[in-house]
Amino acid sequence: MDTSPALLLLLTLGFCCPGIYAQSPDIKVRSPRDITQLQVGQKLELECRTDKPTGAFWIHQDKSGTLHFIAFISSVSRVSFEGNQKTSTRFEAWKEGMSYHLVVKSFTPQDQGKYFCMVTINQKLYFSPGQHALLPATTKVAPITPGPTTQSGITEKDSCLKTPDPDSRMQEDLDRFCLVFLWVPLTGLCLLLLQLLANTILL
C-alpha cells in the first residue's frame, strides 16, 4: 500500500499551495459510531457524499503520518486500487448515486489512522474531515501487591524498620521518624541515668 508518485504530487499541491487545498462543506463522510473502538477482523465501511458528479479518491494516513493511496472511484463508477488494480484483497470500493463507498474487509492494526475522501472540482482539491479509525487502547493492569500484615509480638520499632519500598521518599521519611522515635527516648533515659549517678555521687 505504498504511496504512488501521482498521489504524492496531488497531495503536495493540496497541502502546500494556498488556494488549492480547502475544506468543502459539500463533502460529507459517514462512518460507524464505534470507529475508534474497532476490533481486529471487523468490517469497516465509510461513505463519502458530494453534491457534484465527480470522482473521489480514498486516502489513508497511518499513525506515523504516512499517506497511502487506497482507491479512486470515477464518476462513471470505475474503480482503481493501488497499482492500478481493478480489485483488492483488503478493500472494496464503489459508487452509488452521489456517494462513494470504501470498505476495509478485515480491520488490522496497520489499518489504524485517518481516512480521507478527496475530490477535484475546477482544478482544486477538496478534502473531507479525517475519520479516525482505531482499535481500543490496551491498558496494562499493575500487579496487586499484598499489603503489610500485622502479627502479634511485633513492636513499633520493628514495624517502622520493615516498611516496604525502601528506595522511596516515603521510606526515607519513615526512617527519619523511626530514628527520632528511638533516639529521643534513649537520650532522655541516658540523661536521667546521668542525673541519678550525679546525685548518688553527691550523697
Side-chain angles (χ1 to χ4, degrees):
M1 205 162 57
D2 295 330
T3 310
S4 64
L7 175 64
L8 281 176
L9 178 60
L10 284 173
L11 295 177
T12 303
L13 290 172
F15 283 118
C16 301
C17 300
I20 294 181
Y21 170 79
Q23 289 285 347
S24 172
D26 300 331
I27 306 176
K28 298 178 182 179
V29 177
R30 291 197 307 177
S31 60
R33 292 184 179 180
D34 58 348
I35 193 171
T36 59
Q37 296 292 319
L38 298 171
Q39 301 297 324
V40 174
Q42 181 177 342
K43 182 178 179 180
L44 170 64
E45 181 174 348
L46 301 171
E47 179 186 353
C48 174
R49 186 172 183 82
T50 67
D51 62 345
K52 298 187 184 331
T54 180
F57 294 88
W58 278 105
I59 302 165
H60 172 225
Q61 183 180 30
D62 62 26
K63 296 184 74 174
S64 66
T66 305
L67 295 170
H68 304 273
F69 167 77
I70 299 177
F72 171 71
I73 311 170
S74 71
S75 58
V76 293
S77 302
R78 292 180 181 174
V79 181
S80 298
F81 293 96
E82 191 270 331
N84 201 25
Q85 299 296 316
K86 301 301 180 185
T87 60
S88 171
T89 58
R90 300 180 55 214
F91 302 102
E92 292 178 2
W94 69 91
K95 180 177 181 290
E96 184 178 355
M98 304 291 282
S99 298
Y100 300 87
H101 297 263
L102 174 72
V103 171
V104 182
K105 296 179 182 180
S106 180
F107 200 82
T108 64
Q110 68 178 349
D111 294 321
Q112 296 185 102
K114 288 184 180 179
Y115 287 82
F116 296 92
C117 172
M118 182 185 75
V119 299
T120 58
I121 301 175
N122 296 329
Q123 299 180 347
K124 292 184 179 180
L125 302 180
Y126 295 90
F127 286 79
S128 70
Q131 302 295 304
H132 288 270
L134 301 171
L135 295 170
T138 56
T139 56
K140 294 184 178 179
V141 180
I144 299 174
T145 55
T149 57
T150 57
Q151 299 177 359
S152 58
I154 296 180
T155 62
E156 191 170 356
K157 170 185 173 183
D158 295 331
S159 64
C160 286
L161 295 179
K162 291 183 180 179
T163 355
D165 195 10
D167 296 329
S168 66
R169 183 178 297 273
M170 183 179 294
Q171 178 62 33
E172 294 175 1
D173 295 339
L174 286 174
D175 288 342
R176 291 193 193 98
F177 174 77
C178 289
L179 289 175
V180 172
F181 182 81
L182 291 174
W183 284 107
V184 168
L186 287 176
T187 305
L189 181 60
C190 290
L191 291 175
L192 181 60
L193 290 175
L194 286 175
Q195 186 178 3
L196 290 174
L197 182 61
N199 291 337
T200 304
I201 293 174
L202 289 176
L203 291 175

